[in-house]
Amino acid sequence: MIQPAEFTISAWSHLVDLVVDPPQPKDPIEALKAAQSGKTPPTLRVPLVFTGIYGGPIHLTIEVLDHEPDTVAPGWEDVADVSLVIPEGKVHFNGPTGSDSHEVGFMSAAEAGSYRARLHAVGRDLDYDVVVEESKERHLVQFWKAPFANTIVLANASSVSKSLPRFVAMWQSNL
Amino acid sequence: MKRQSKASLAVCAALFAGSILAGPASAANAERPAPPPLPPTATAPDVRKVTPPGRAQAPQECAAAAEGEAVTCVKPLKKQLKPATGKQQALTPMTVQPLPSWCAQAGTLPEGYYSATRYEACGNWPYQLTVVRKVKGSQTVTGVMEFTLSGFHYGAQNQPTVAHQITIIPSSMTGDAVGATASATAQCWQNCAAGSQGFGTQTLTTGNGSSGEFFYNTTAITPGAVGPTGSSWNITFKVPSASNSWTLGSSSLNVRCDTALPNNASTGCVNPDIAPYIQYQGFDSFGTHVKAAQDSGLPGALSGAPLHRLVNQTLRDLNRNTACPQNSSYPRPTGYSCDEYPFASTSEGAYTGGGTARTFPWCQITLSAPDSTGPVGYSVCMINLDENNYAGSVLNNVLYAPMRVIDADPFYVHIA
């Protein structure tokens, strides 16, 4: 299961990715043949965290819930619920194209499936579209298992958040 | 920009219909965005004919037979052979992988040439084995076998192992060539540890493929390691009546294994001479800018010089800050972000590539100096934020990571 976590991670191109590496056959020859014949599931890479800064550190908190929260957590400018399917595998958050990676657990076959992610952000407009050295932007991602559903924007105070629904539709169309 | 097909537009519209903007109704109405671009089908399997550089074999001469003696030799055959349709008889317990469809479509190739993608390389080479006997002072051909030698080697994105398999498929055998046998051994060149292999002595028969496979592991498995490698087979042919045997060499392309992808602890092996490309389709704002930038002479188009990946974070930041400085210099219209080409994550980027800026009339940027021209310099443009982000995301998630584009690797960008 994804484990709760709190860390600083470097964004690039306004993004931090959720990455799930599928388990591989233990025998290296079987693993190679499975990969060559397309029998190995591909690595999942979802640009789940959409930042205001172009690049640099953000503060990211990960929470895993039993069910949809009863209320929206206070203190966040932007809040949106999105759906994604998380397969079996090692789960981590990566700064795209960089060297920053944080592992947050392993999704078993029983745990894999459709999830809802509530994306919270504050500070997206502070250093919009620039590379920063210090973090002013915070994000919280809450996961709970739920059937696939439409994207719902619960708060969109920042100007950046206006672009989120179309962006989510883009990456969902490629999953 | 190329127009999307009706079918593609229908898919996009259906996807967007699933997105709901909750909140003030007026905001929802005012901010309804355009349909998203097509899924960035992006990348790279690109079949090209390549020959292993510097590994061409010196041609061997067929030996002359002594009186009453028979000798054999194998030479490339300059004609197309029918594709083999017979079953393959791989040695138990090995089961060779079927050849990719693009391999058969490429037909037979000159000796040593391959069709290749980033991870796979394949070739079908026609040969002729002849048996010559000296009878009453004259050299007489007493047996011929025409055959196709297939070579196929492949690595994978997240595997430290490389496979190299060969198959010999006779299409005809006559006279003294009947009963010919083949045996083979394989080796890897450098930065590797040889693993299992199998191609014991096999009797060749028309229409049946005799196969063997070889596996080796890279030793470039420590973080940051890059290990050029490759492999070759030596195939020895014998015919019952001949006094000699003939050994035919078959080398792979150069292979590169690495554990050098940023953000990725995996080891994988590619054909480094096959530069991948990413294809963007339906990215109206981003695609228009990149196409205009390429048309103005900047590198990266399929028809021109490639871009090269830049991993160094400090230099990438400098590239980005040089091309798209703080908001006060280039104010960002609402919903737009600054796009730079060549990308900041390439050594052709604004700082590391040098030169000065250029822009285009629709880009909402006023430069303080005249536009640069030609292949040196960079282009800047304000484009839709969501599209810019998505284009950046797939650059990593469709090209850099899946194609194992490591530091300094060349690649291309194609706007469909």
Side-chain angles (χ1 to χ4, degrees), chain B residues 125-383:
Chain B
W125 308 287
Y127 286 96
Q128 179 174 275
L129 175 150
T130 55
V131 184
V132 176
R133 188 181 293 274
K134 191 171 185 182
V135 181
K136 296 180 181 174
S138 72
Q139 304 279 341
T140 304
V141 174
T142 59
V144 173
M145 175 178 72
E146 292 183 342
F147 66 95
T148 300
L149 171 63
S150 295
F152 178 43
H153 62 85
Y154 55 93
Q157 184 185 339
N158 294 324
Q159 300 299 329
T161 305
V162 179
H164 186 177
Q165 65 184 47
I166 54 169
T167 302
I168 299 165
I169 311 160
S171 51
S172 65
M173 301 176 87
T174 61
D176 283 344
V178 174
T181 62
S183 60
T185 57
Q187 50 278 318
C188 58
W189 297 331
Q190 55 182 335
N191 303 307
C192 63
S196 63
Q197 63 174 285
F199 198 120
T201 301
Q202 301 183 46
T203 300
L204 304 173
T205 55
T206 303
N208 287 322
S210 298
S211 300
E213 57 185 354
F214 169 54
F215 297 93
Y216 61 95
N217 296 313
T218 178
T219 55
I221 55 173
T222 54
V226 179
T229 189
S231 55
S232 56
W233 281 93
N234 285 325
I235 310 157
T236 300
F237 293 89
K238 293 188 83 168
V239 295
S241 60
S243 60
N244 69 329
S245 59
W246 187 272
T247 299
L248 184 66
S250 182
S251 294
S252 74
L253 296 180
N254 288 329
V255 173
R256 182 196 69 205
C257 299
D258 73 87
T259 311
L261 268 183
N263 259 350
N264 194 321
S266 71
T267 302
C269 302
V270 302
N271 299 318
D273 297 324
I274 305 296
Y277 68 92
I278 182 165
Q279 175 173 291
Y280 290 98
Q281 186 172 2
F283 285 69
D284 289 344
S285 180
F286 170 82
T288 301
H289 175 223
V290 171
K291 182 75 165 59
Q294 291 180 339
D295 288 347
S296 77
L298 293 172
L302 284 172
S303 57
L307 302 176
H308 298 81
R309 185 173 183 186
L310 176 68
V311 166
N312 183 287
Q313 178 75 55
T314 302
L315 293 176
R316 287 193 294 127
D317 289 351
L318 281 167
N319 280 343
R320 174 67 188 178
N321 287 335
T322 300
C324 294
Q326 297 286 333
N327 296 2
S328 56
S329 304
Y330 291 169
R332 273 65 163 174
T334 301
Y336 286 75
S337 69
C338 181
D339 183 40
E340 79 285 352
Y341 185 87
F343 309 132
S345 59
T346 66
S347 57
E348 289 76 15
Y351 176 81
T352 51
T356 57
R358 72 190 69 175
T359 190
F360 299 94
W362 63 87
C363 285
Q364 306 180 74
I365 289 177
T366 304
L367 298 175
S368 57
D371 284 335
S372 63
T373 57
V376 177
Y378 55 92
S379 179
V380 287
C381 193
M382 296 298 165
I383 69 171

Side-chain angles (χ1 to χ4, degrees), chain A residues 126-144:
Chain A
L126 293 176
D127 290 305
Y128 174 64
D129 205 31
V130 298
V131 176
V132 300
E133 293 183 357
E134 287 186 17
S135 173
K136 295 180 192 167
E137 192 171 324
R138 292 188 300 117
H139 291 256
L140 163 68
V141 181
Q142 295 173 318
F143 292 98
W144 66 95

Side-chain angles (χ1 to χ4, degrees), chain B residues 36-101:
Chain B
L38 291 176
T41 44
T43 22
D46 186 21
V47 179
R48 300 181 197 175
K49 292 181 181 178
V50 197
T51 188
R55 297 191 187 279
Q57 288 190 316
Q60 300 176 69
E61 292 303 318
C62 296
E67 184 63 33
E69 181 193 32
V71 295
T72 185
C73 68
V74 177
K75 290 289 182 185
L77 189 59
K78 290 180 180 165
K79 73 173 187 180
Q80 291 274 111
L81 295 178
K82 281 186 180 176
T85 53
K87 63 181 180 181
Q88 292 193 346
Q89 46 182 23
L91 287 182
T92 308
M94 294 183 175
T95 308
V96 297
Q97 295 291 84
L99 299 183
S101 58

